[in-house]
Structures are given as structure tokens and as C-alpha cells.
Amino acid sequence: PGTGRRLPAVTDHVPSRTPTETDALAEQHLDAVAVLDPVSATYMGLPGHDDALTDYSPTGHGVRAARSRATLDRLAGIRPVDDTDRVTAAALRERLGLGLEFHAAGLDLADLNNISSPVQSLREVFDIAPTATVADWEAIGTRLEGIGAALAGYRESLVEARRRGWVPPARQVLAAARQCADAGAPDGFFTSLHATAATSDGDPLPSRLPDRLAAAGNAAARAYLDQERWLRRELLPTARTDDAVGRDLYPLYARAFLGSTVDVEDTYAWGLAELAHVERRMAEVARRIVPDGTATGDAIVAEAIAVLDADPGRRIEGAEAFRDWMQDLADTAIADLDGTHFDIPAPLHTLRCRIAPSSSGAIYYTGPSEDLSRPGQMWWSVPDGVTRFSAWQERTTVYHEGVPGHHLQIGRAVLGADRLNRWRRLASWVSGHGEGWALYAERLMEELGYLTDPGDLMGMLDAQALRAARVVVDIGVHCRLAAPAEVGGGVWDPAKAWAFLRRHTRVPDPSLRFELDRYLGWPGQAISYKVGERVWLDLRAQVKARDGAGFDLRAFHRDCLALGSVGLDVLAGAVLGTLPDAR
């Protein structure tokens, strides 16, 4: 049975907790993870591992699985002493246990897609690696020199996964190969990295270091070109054209991103209904933009969007100007929301907006390092040829990635050393919790009066429509469900998914192609936004009903964010006081 106790508010002046046996175990696990997965350590902002690379070979996966198994075995012998321990124990069991399920199924070996696999992580880790000192650049040089071996180990895993029965999807093989070619190009990232070498304090680099970085960068580029050739020559001939993972595997993938089990058919039907609801709202807002318009439904929305796109006051020309616009908007949101709707600690008033080195079209956030030497950063990867940006579409994205979205959510966890162990603060991340909160944050900004302009509100609803369409497409294609008549009926396939997305979203074709490939190669992640938001809204409604007139929205947000990122079931159990006492 649950304890029934509410969690203390962050600002209730609760003294710092005395670390418990559960905390010690979680931190020991994190220390081991940092050694065994140095790439993730850099992403988490853990110092001391920036010269090493993760072993992506079958042996490396096996060692990491053994570490998780040992941690869970020890956890079984520890009784939680308070609510914080109960959440930690539940989160460890859920995250590590799920990782072991993936390992048992061999899915950790079969990690290949266009957005989140070693192909991307081995390149993008250099975007956020420390670069302030000579020692930092020495570490980058050592890491660059290890790229060839890391990719070789990764190939071993893909071969082993294929030996066990995995058939790679051709779409993802080709997408990864193209990215390898870009990274390894003569004018690509690796060959150019040495030219950016400089220390923040102005200390000169040793004369030998630029040459070392250039040589290591060239070797890394060659390794990526070798990877491209291997993918095309060795993996592609055995690849499949069917992108679906199937009805049996999909729930496991979805649980990895949600920390909760969903009813596939029910969620698919809900996605269709939610999309229809959002589009009705879009039509209502469109009439505010074109009050004299006579069209209805999709046509009135298209007419309103044409008006917004034609408005020079809503256009931004050039990536640098767009970056500056994002920065101003993010800074303004932080200043406005702090002390009114949220308590935003001073270190989180720094959020750096950046244009990413890649051209994939992805938008993402990277959190601050533990020592705050690296601030939270919002990245925008601009597709090749894109020079014009729509402010009406992207205002809501800045709230999603910045404040009150990911920057506030992740930053609060990083700063929570007085109540959370380091594993909870730095390593525990569940997409349904995180992306669900960020999508909820967009909706919240409408509730708080920040999207009163009909164009900005249309942008938020347009983003909501994309996220609802993702639910339909992701579940429909991967579970081979029946497609709606508007795309020809029958069983979902990529062509029908493309037609559906083009009808229901306003994403430019190059970015939309990347998005669809992402859904097809990363099953379960696309639904985490809308399903996570649904859980956040439902949880808020439950707490509001429980507390009645005493409900405090600011306190609700504060208490929930104080938990850090946990699975959706753990989140609900922690907030409602239903996590079990028993081991």
C-alpha cells in the first residue's frame, strides 16, 4: 500500500536530506555508468570522461547490462527510508529493468536510425564537449583518435544483431549512411573541427596541438566514410523495405519512452480524436486571422496561414537573426515567469540559443553540466537552403525547449542536490515525462496569457497537430493498423504516413521527410509528447480535485519538477502518494 503522504514543496525550507543507502547505490551506479558510457557522461555534464568513447561492441553492451543487473540485485536488499527513497527505488527498477529487457531481446545491439544512434552520438558529443582550456582540447584530440575503434565496435554489434535475426530497415541504413558521408566529407565537421580550437581564457594552444587535432579529425572523417561504405555494402543488401517493428515489439519500445504501458488501439483512436479536436480549434483561430474569409475547415486554416506567412512582421531572414530572436524570446520568458508563475533559480537565467552544426532539421535541448560551467543550450539544426523562418510558428517551440519547458525542467533537476542524488538529477530521463512536460508547457503558456496573438496561438496549435499526427502515424505504421479512408484505407505504410502528415501538418518537405524517417526508425518516441502531455494534464486534474479550493498551480508545478525526470507511472505514484513501501 502507498503512504498517502504528499511530497514536500521545494521552497518549504526542508533541510537537505542526509544521503541514504538507496542514494549511495544510485550514485555508485552513476559513477559506473560514466566509466562504461563516457559519451553519455559528457551529455550529462559529468567531468573526467571527455577523452574517452563508449564501447558500442557486444562486449560493451554486456558489461553495461551486468552493471545494471548488479545494481538491481543490491537494490532488492535495501528498504527505502522516506518518500524520496521510494521514488529513487521505483525509478531505478523501472529504468534499469527496462534496459535489461532490451538487452535480453538484443535490441541494444540493433541501434540504427537517423536521429539517436551511435552514428549521431559519436559525432554530436563534440558539440557539447568542454572547450575552455588547453586540457579540454587535448581531451578532444584523444577522443577524436578513438572514433575509428568506436565505430568498429558498433559494426560488431550490428553484425551480431543481424546474426540473431534482426533485419535492418533499409530506410535507416541509407539515412545513417548519408549522415556518415556528411560528417566525413572533405569540408565536413571532423576535418574542420581543428580550425575552431581556442581557449576561453585566451591561453595559447601548444604549437603541436592544432596539428594533432587536424590529424585526428582527418582520421575520424575517414572512419566515418568507412562506416558509410560498410553500411551500403554490407548492411544494405540484407535490409528490409518494411519499416514496422510489429505489434509484439512496439509496446516494449513505447514503454521505454513512456515509463508506462499504453493500450495501443485505444491510444491510436485517441490520437485521431485529438487531432480532430486540435484542427477544429485551428479553424476557430483562423477566423480571427481572416474574419472576412468564406472558406471552412482545412481551407480556412490554409488561408489564415498564407496570411501569416505573407506578413513581413512575422518573418525572420537568416539563421543568425533567427538565433538572436530565439535568444531574446527565451530571455524575456525567463524574466517574466520568474517570481510570478515559477521560481527560477539564478543559474537557470542563462540559456544559450545556438544554431547546430548539422542540417538535419532537428530541434533539441542539452542541459547544463553538473558544475554549471556549461549552460543549458537550445539547438536548432537548420536544413540546407532554409534562410527564412516564421516567428508565428516558432514562438511556442522556444517555450517548449526553454522556459517553462526543458530548460526549467532539466535545470531544476540538475540544481536539486539538496534533495536528489546524482543519478536522479543527471542520468534519469524519460521522454514521456520530459517531452510531455514540454508540450504541456506550450499549452500552459496559452493559459497564462502568452499566446493571445492569434498568429502565435495558431503556431502552438499547429505544433499540437503535428504531435497528435505523430501518435497516429507511429502506432499505425509500426503496429500495422488500419489506415483511415483519407489516405486510401488498408494497412498503414510509409507512403500513407507521408500523405497523412502532409495533409495535417505545415512542416516543410525536407524537415518532414526527416521527421517521418525519425518516426519509422525510432518506434515509440513520437507518441511520448502527446501521451506524456495527456498524463500531465490528467495528473493536474486529479490533484486539483483532491485539493479542492486549496489547489495551488504554482506549487503543483514546483513539487512535480522537484522529482526530476521519472517514468510516467512513477510520476503519478509519487505525486498521488501511491508508491509502495515494500521492496
Side-chain angles (χ1 to χ4, degrees):
T3 65
R5 293 192 296 275
R6 294 189 62 194
L7 297 171
V10 177
T11 55
D12 280 351
H13 305 292
V14 176
S16 297
R17 293 177 67 249
T18 300
T20 66
E21 190 177 1
T22 302
D23 290 323
L25 175 62
E27 298 209 355
Q28 289 164 13
H29 182 78
L30 177 63
D31 289 341
V33 166
V35 173
L36 299 175
D37 191 357
V39 170
S40 291
T42 296
Y43 279 104
M44 288 185 280
L46 294 170
H49 308 278
D50 299 314
D51 60 345
L53 289 170
T54 302
D55 180 0
Y56 292 113
S57 73
T59 298
H61 287 296
V63 171
R64 288 188 291 276
R67 176 70 244 187
S68 292
R69 196 174 296 111
T71 296
L72 289 177
D73 287 345
R74 288 184 57 194
L75 182 65
I78 300 174
R79 183 174 293 279
V81 301
D82 58 13
D83 284 330
T84 301
D85 262 11
R86 291 181 187 90
V87 176
T88 299
L92 280 168
R93 284 193 295 268
E94 192 273 327
R95 288 290 90 188
L96 273 57
L98 193 61
L100 290 175
E101 288 186 57
F102 264 71
H103 181 69
L107 297 178
D108 52 353
L109 303 171
D111 189 7
L112 179 68
N113 56 48
N114 75 332
I115 190 170
S116 181
S117 69
V119 167
Q120 297 81 30
S121 61
L122 285 170
R123 213 293 297 143
E124 292 172 359
V125 71
F126 293 95
D127 293 345
I128 59 172
T131 59
T133 67
V134 171
D136 290 337
W137 283 103
E138 294 278 10
I140 287 173
T142 302
R143 182 170 262 176
L144 281 170
E145 290 163 350
I147 288 290
L151 287 173
Y154 175 46
R155 290 193 293 272
E156 290 179 27
S157 287
L158 295 177
V159 169
E160 176 62 16
R162 186 173 57 180
R163 187 190 69 78
R164 297 187 189 186
W166 172 67
V167 182
R171 185 185 309 272
Q172 304 305 322
V173 175
L174 289 170
R178 288 190 293 268
Q179 291 174 347
C180 288
D182 288 343
D187 59 348
F189 173 83
F190 287 112
T191 57
S192 306
L193 181 58
H194 72 281
T196 67
T199 62
S200 62
D201 55 13
D203 286 348
L205 297 176
S207 58
R208 59 175 172 75
L209 185 52
D211 289 341
R212 180 193 177 200
L213 290 170
N218 288 333
R222 290 193 297 272
Y224 259 80
L225 293 178
D226 288 344
Q227 182 76 12
E228 181 214 3
R229 286 188 288 270
W230 183 86
L231 288 169
R232 292 184 183 276
R233 296 175 183 176
E234 300 297 328
L235 207 58
L236 187 59
T238 63
R240 56 187 166 93
T241 57
D242 180 12
D243 296 273
V245 297
R247 180 64 177 79
D248 292 338
L249 272 182
Y250 184 82
L252 177 59
Y253 281 106
R255 189 153 48 86
F257 290 110
L258 296 174
S260 182
T261 300
V262 297
D263 182 305
V264 167
E265 285 75 17
D266 174 77
T267 305
Y268 174 75
W270 171 79
L272 285 167
E274 180 68 7
L275 178 60
H277 168 71
V278 171
E279 290 181 334
R280 285 192 295 271
R281 284 205 66 198
M282 292 178 73
E284 293 169 2
V285 174
R287 294 201 176 281
R288 294 169 54 191
I289 299 170
V290 285
D292 298 328
T294 58
T296 60
D298 293 347
I300 190 69
V301 171
E303 186 176 343
I305 288 176
V307 169
L308 295 172
D309 284 339
D311 183 352
R314 299 180 185 274
R315 291 199 304 265
I316 301 170
E317 299 289 345
E320 290 75 18
F322 181 59
R323 177 202 58 212
D324 294 343
W325 174 83
M326 287 193 300
Q327 188 70 65
D328 288 344
L329 181 58
D331 292 343
T332 299
I334 292 170
D336 283 357
L337 294 174
D338 184 27
T340 55
H341 302 290
F342 294 94
D343 298 312
I344 304 176
L348 299 186
H349 283 238
T350 299
L351 168 61
R352 183 186 301 166
C353 295
R354 303 185 66 180
I355 300 299
S358 69
S359 59
S360 67
I363 304 162
Y364 55 96
Y365 171 83
T366 55
S369 59
E370 184 177 21
D371 63 2
L372 302 178
S373 62
R374 182 188 77 200
Q377 300 178 96
M378 184 191 312
W379 300 82
W380 209 294
S381 179
V382 180
D384 291 333
V386 174
T387 60
R388 175 174 293 180
F389 304 87
S390 298
W392 69 269
Q393 279 187 304
E394 308 305 355
R395 177 177 294 268
T396 192
T397 306
V398 174
Y399 297 146
H400 180 110
E401 303 293 344
V403 170
H406 288 319
H407 182 59
L408 177 62
Q409 169 196 37
I410 294 172
R412 284 304 304 261
V414 171
L415 294 174
D418 60 332
R419 61 190 183 277
L420 300 178
N421 61 60
R422 294 171 73 237
W423 182 84
R424 289 273 300 277
R425 290 189 288 117
L426 303 173
S428 182
W429 168 258
V430 184
S431 187
H433 179 285
E435 299 299 353
W437 166 264
L439 197 59
Y440 167 81
E442 295 184 49
R443 185 190 295 257
L444 180 67
M445 289 301 273
E446 179 193 2
E447 295 178 10
L448 298 180
Y450 284 83
L451 296 172
T452 55
D453 177 86
D456 294 336
L457 180 55
M458 180 66 83
M460 189 275 282
L461 292 171
D462 187 45
Q464 290 274 343
L466 172 63
R467 274 50 176 267
R470 283 175 175 175
V471 174
V472 176
V473 166
D474 196 65
I475 295 177
V477 171
H478 283 295
C479 296
R480 301 188 178 95
L481 300 184
E486 67 176 274
V487 294
V491 177
W492 275 102
D493 60 29
K496 293 171 184 176
W498 176 252
F500 187 83
L501 290 171
R502 290 202 77 203
R503 175 176 176 181
H504 293 284
T505 72
R506 267 61 49 187
V507 180
D509 279 0
S511 296
L512 189 62
R513 179 61 65 188
F514 176 87
E515 284 288 299
L516 177 56
D517 287 353
R518 163 189 167 184
Y519 311 153
L520 297 174
W522 212 17
Q525 198 275 342
I527 73 171
S528 64
Y529 298 72
K530 260 296 180 183
V531 173
E533 180 201 38
R534 185 186 191 186
V535 170
W536 276 104
L537 288 168
D538 181 65
L539 187 58
R540 185 176 79 174
Q542 289 187 64
V543 174
K544 187 175 183 178
R546 181 193 66 191
D547 294 353
F551 177 71
D552 183 335
L553 182 61
R554 182 172 171 177
F556 169 75
H557 293 147
R558 181 188 62 207
D559 294 350
C560 289
L561 291 179
L563 294 167
S565 183
V566 293
L568 294 175
D569 286 349
V570 176
L571 170 67
V575 173
L576 299 175
T578 58
L579 290 179
D581 285 321
R583 290 191 292 271

